Amino acid sequence: MEVAVAPREGGPVAAGPVLGLWPAVAPGKRPKKSAVLFFEVEILDARTRDKLCFLDKVEPQATVADIKNLFSKSHPQWYPARQSLRLDPKGRSLKDEDVLQSLPVGTTATLYFRDLGAQISWVTVFLTEYAGPLLIYLLFYFRVPFLYGPRYDFTASRHRVVHLACCCHSFHYVKRLLETLFVHRFSHGTMPLRNIFKNCTYYWGFAAWMAYYINHPLYTPPAYGDEQVKLALAVFLAPRPGRSRTPPGTRSRGSSCSSPAPTTPTRSAPGSVSPS
């Protein structure tokens, strides 16, 4: 409880303690705010050492992905997917999830930039790689013009194993396309656009080479007959554990394919094309 104390002559009325039981409370002091430490990030060209960008007041918790986004604002032609940032001009690229304050740099960090070139998403890459063999094989199966000569245009093979091989091949690549869309996750979002030409040449070329002989008008069935075809079909249909699984909690590819084409009855038990 506070009461008015008689002021000195000419002074204002002041509050004071009752009977001097406790001292007057001094006004509370506001706590000082702790200083926030920011980083400065300098980005140089890895080849020419020219300064490309200077980022001021970057938070310590910022990731490499955040720095890429800030860098792309000043250089829109280098979107984050085509950026490679590293601590040394010839060193390894930093991961997007790396945190700035955990890197071996001071408060002024120097990063080196390399352009990875035009990028394409991995989903588009695999859809292109797998759709090509599927369509190419069907062109040979239906014997479209300019493949085997005018007399064989749009004719069908009389051998059942040829039709079975088409079903197996189509099933394999339709399955791959569906896995790409609904099952697989990828550790990186993109790859260089130039690589797709190399990948497609391998997949598409192998499919064309295989389809040409299997669907050739002069194709002959396997030497050991239906038993050989049935054995090869069983191998093709046999379950392959883990090939279509994606590890939980990861973004890795769910499966890998060592060969661009499936094991069809005619690949395990190839027939022959006899000369006319």
Side-chain angles (χ1 to χ4, degrees), residues 160-161 164 221-222 224-234 265-266 269:
R160 185 178 61 178
V161 67
L164 180 60
Y224 294 97
D226 290 344
E227 288 73 16
Q228 187 175 357
V229 174
K230 292 178 181 178
L231 177 61
L233 180 61
T266 51

Side-chain angles (χ1 to χ4, degrees), residues 135-149:
L135 298 177
I136 289 173
Y137 194 98
L138 292 177
L139 292 178
F140 286 92
Y141 175 76
F142 290 110
R143 295 176 180 172
V144 298
F146 309 107
L147 292 179
Y148 298 114

Side-chain angles (χ1 to χ4, degrees), residues 36-205:
V36 179
L37 177 64
F38 290 101
F39 281 69
E40 296 177 344
V41 179
E42 183 182 44
I43 301 178
L44 307 180
D45 188 289
R47 296 181 179 178
T48 63
R49 306 297 193 275
D50 294 336
K51 182 184 291 187
L52 300 176
C53 182
F54 183 81
L55 304 175
D56 191 16
K57 293 185 178 181
V58 181
E59 295 183 356
Q61 296 79 17
T63 62
V64 173
D66 296 330
I67 296 175
K68 288 182 178 181
N69 290 326
L70 295 174
F71 178 58
S72 63
K73 292 181 179 179
S74 58
H75 297 278
Q77 72 275 20
W78 293 321
Y79 46 90
R82 66 183 294 170
Q83 297 178 29
S84 171
L85 298 180
R86 53 195 71 189
L87 297 175
D88 185 83
K90 298 182 180 180
R92 295 183 178 181
S93 298
L94 297 173
K95 298 179 180 179
D96 286 348
E97 58 269 20
D98 289 340
V99 180
L100 181 59
Q101 66 180 357
S102 64
L103 298 177
V105 296
T107 55
T108 301
T110 300
L111 302 179
Y112 296 91
F113 162 80
R114 280 187 178 272
D115 183 12
L116 299 177
Q119 301 289 300
I120 184 172
S121 70
W122 276 107
V123 173
T124 304
V125 170
F126 286 108
L127 291 179
T128 305
E129 289 179 355
Y130 297 151
L134 176 63
L135 298 177
I136 289 173
Y137 194 98
L138 292 177
L139 292 178
F140 286 92
Y141 175 76
F142 290 110
R143 295 176 180 172
V144 298
F146 309 107
L147 292 179
Y148 298 114
R151 61 180 292 194
Y152 298 112
D153 290 350
F154 298 109
T155 59
S157 175
R158 66 180 185 273
H159 302 296
R160 185 178 61 178
V161 67
V162 173
H163 306 296
L164 180 60
C166 181
C167 292
C168 292
H169 187 276
S170 300
F171 169 78
H172 174 83
Y173 280 103
V174 169
K175 174 175 172 286
R176 288 289 177 182
L177 291 170
L178 295 177
E179 287 176 349
T180 300
L181 292 174
F182 303 110
V183 177
H184 294 229
R185 291 189 293 268
F186 305 96
S187 57
H188 298 284
T190 62
M191 67 168 266
L193 178 61
R194 61 182 178 271
N195 288 356
I196 195 173
F197 300 103
K198 177 180 63 177
N199 293 10
C200 287
T201 298
Y202 172 68
Y203 276 82
W204 295 17

